[in-house]
Amino acid sequence: MQQTMPQKVGRLFMGAAIVLGALLNLGGCTTTLVQPYDEVLLNDTQSLFKKASAMVNDGIAKSPRTDHDRAAFKDKPTTHPAHVAQFEARYAELGSDSDALILRALSRSQQVSATGQSLESKVEELIEKHIPNACPDVDAELGTLSTGLTVRNYLDLKCLLLKWHEQHADLDVTESTGILKRSNWELRRATLFAAVLAIEKAELAKKK
C-alpha cells in the first residue's frame, strides 16, 4: 500500500527518534554519540509549530473546498484571502525560524565526538536509502556542515516548509490561481504534527 505524505514524513522523523533512543541506551560509554538535550531548541521548535499551525488553520478557514469554488476566482485570484500572496510574510517568517533552529542545532553539533558523528552518518545513510531526501538544495547548502541526526531533522523540517511554499505558488497545483484547496491545508496539518512530534520525542529522549 502506498504511504501518505504524513506517514512518510512521520517514518523519517521517527526513524531518527528511534536511533537516538538506541544510542542513548549504550550505557557506560564515554563517547558522545548525540548532541545533549537542548531545552532552548525544544522551546523554539514548539514556537515554530504554533506559528505554522496558526497559518494552517487560517488556510483551512479561508480556502475553497472544491475545484469549482476555486475556479470562481480564476480571473482575479490575487484578491482571494487564501492566495499565496496573502501568506508570503508567514512563509518567510517560518523560513527564518527554521533557519534559526538549524543554526542552533549546528552550533551544538560540535559537542558530538568524532565517533558519534561517524555512527550518526552511517545511520543517516541507511535512512536515506529507504527514504530519499526530497530537498537536495538544502542538502547541498547545509548538509555538509554536520552529520548530526539532530541537524538532519531540522534540515528536513526546513525542506517541508519550503515545499509548502512551492506548492502554494505552483500554478499547476493550484490550477492557475495560486490558491490551495481546504484539503491541501488539512493534509499539511497532519504532516506538520507528525514531523514536529517526532522531533520533540527525539529531543526529549536525550533528557532521560
Side-chain angles (χ1 to χ4, degrees), residues 111-122:
Q111 298 181 39
V112 180
S113 68
T115 302
Q117 289 188 18
S118 176
L119 181 56
E120 287 185 6
S121 181
K122 291 178 182 178

Side-chain angles (χ1 to χ4, degrees), residues 75-156:
D75 293 334
K76 49 184 187 305
T78 56
T79 64
H80 196 283
H83 187 268
V84 62
Q86 308 302 324
F87 287 83
E88 287 292 353
R90 298 171 89 165
Y91 282 123
E93 185 175 3
L94 288 174
S96 295
D97 286 354
S98 62
D99 286 342
L101 290 172
I102 292 169
L103 287 172
R104 174 78 185 186
L106 280 170
S107 70
R108 293 174 64 83
S109 67
Q110 303 307 314
Q111 298 181 39
V112 180
S113 68
T115 302
Q117 289 188 18
S118 176
L119 181 56
E120 287 185 6
S121 181
K122 291 178 182 178
V123 172
E124 179 187 330
E125 183 180 352
L126 178 63
I127 293 172
E128 291 295 332
K129 284 181 180 179
H130 291 89
I131 312 171
N133 193 298
C135 208
D137 292 339
V138 174
D139 267 349
E141 184 178 357
L142 296 171
T144 58
L145 295 179
S146 174
T147 58
L149 286 171
T150 301
V151 176
R152 174 74 267 166
N153 281 345
Y154 286 105
L155 288 173
D156 289 332

Side-chain angles (χ1 to χ4, degrees), residues 35-45 101 104-105 107-108 111 150 154 203-204 206-207:
Q35 295 171 225
Y37 169 71
D38 187 343
E39 187 171 358
V40 172
L41 189 62
L42 185 62
N43 289 339
D44 289 349
T45 301
L101 290 172
R104 174 78 185 186
S107 70
R108 293 174 64 83
Q111 298 181 39
T150 301
Y154 286 105
E203 193 62 30
L204 287 170
K206 304 173 187 178
K207 192 176 181 181

Side-chain angles (χ1 to χ4, degrees), residues 2-207:
Q2 187 175 7
Q3 290 182 315
T4 64
M5 182 56 69
Q7 287 174 326
K8 290 179 180 179
V9 172
R11 181 183 169 194
L12 173 58
F13 284 91
M14 286 305 296
I18 292 170
V19 168
L20 285 171
L23 294 177
L24 288 165
N25 285 329
L26 296 177
C29 183
T30 58
T31 300
T32 304
L33 295 176
V34 294
Q35 295 171 225
Y37 169 71
D38 187 343
E39 187 171 358
V40 172
L41 189 62
L42 185 62
N43 289 339
D44 289 349
T45 301
Q46 292 174 344
S47 295
L48 181 145
F49 174 76
K50 290 177 182 178
K51 288 182 184 179
S53 292
M55 184 177 77
V56 168
N57 290 338
D58 247 8
I60 291 173
K62 295 176 179 177
S63 296
R65 185 180 296 275
T66 67
D67 290 329
H68 177 74
D69 293 338
R70 178 168 59 185
F73 292 88
K74 202 163 188 177
D75 293 334
K76 49 184 187 305
T78 56
T79 64
H80 196 283
H83 187 268
V84 62
Q86 308 302 324
F87 287 83
E88 287 292 353
R90 298 171 89 165
Y91 282 123
E93 185 175 3
L94 288 174
S96 295
D97 286 354
S98 62
D99 286 342
L101 290 172
I102 292 169
L103 287 172
R104 174 78 185 186
L106 280 170
S107 70
R108 293 174 64 83
S109 67
Q110 303 307 314
Q111 298 181 39
V112 180
S113 68
T115 302
Q117 289 188 18
S118 176
L119 181 56
E120 287 185 6
S121 181
K122 291 178 182 178
V123 172
E124 179 187 330
E125 183 180 352
L126 178 63
I127 293 172
E128 291 295 332
K129 284 181 180 179
H130 291 89
I131 312 171
N133 193 298
C135 208
D137 292 339
V138 174
D139 267 349
E141 184 178 357
L142 296 171
T144 58
L145 295 179
S146 174
T147 58
L149 286 171
T150 301
V151 176
R152 174 74 267 166
N153 281 345
Y154 286 105
L155 288 173
D156 289 332
L157 181 60
K158 169 76 172 182
C159 173
L160 175 66
L161 297 173
L162 285 174
K163 291 299 181 184
W164 278 13
H165 189 198
E166 289 177 5
Q167 180 195 42
H168 203 164
D170 191 322
L171 295 181
D172 290 331
V173 172
T174 62
E175 297 188 352
S176 301
T177 64
I179 301 170
L180 294 171
K181 290 190 297 184
R182 193 172 299 179
S183 58
N184 298 125
W185 289 103
E186 289 169 346
L187 179 61
R188 288 180 173 195
R189 173 187 279 168
T191 305
L192 176 70
F193 185 86
V196 175
L197 176 63
I199 286 178
E200 292 192 357
K201 281 185 175 181
E203 193 62 30
L204 287 170
K206 304 173 187 178
K207 192 176 181 181

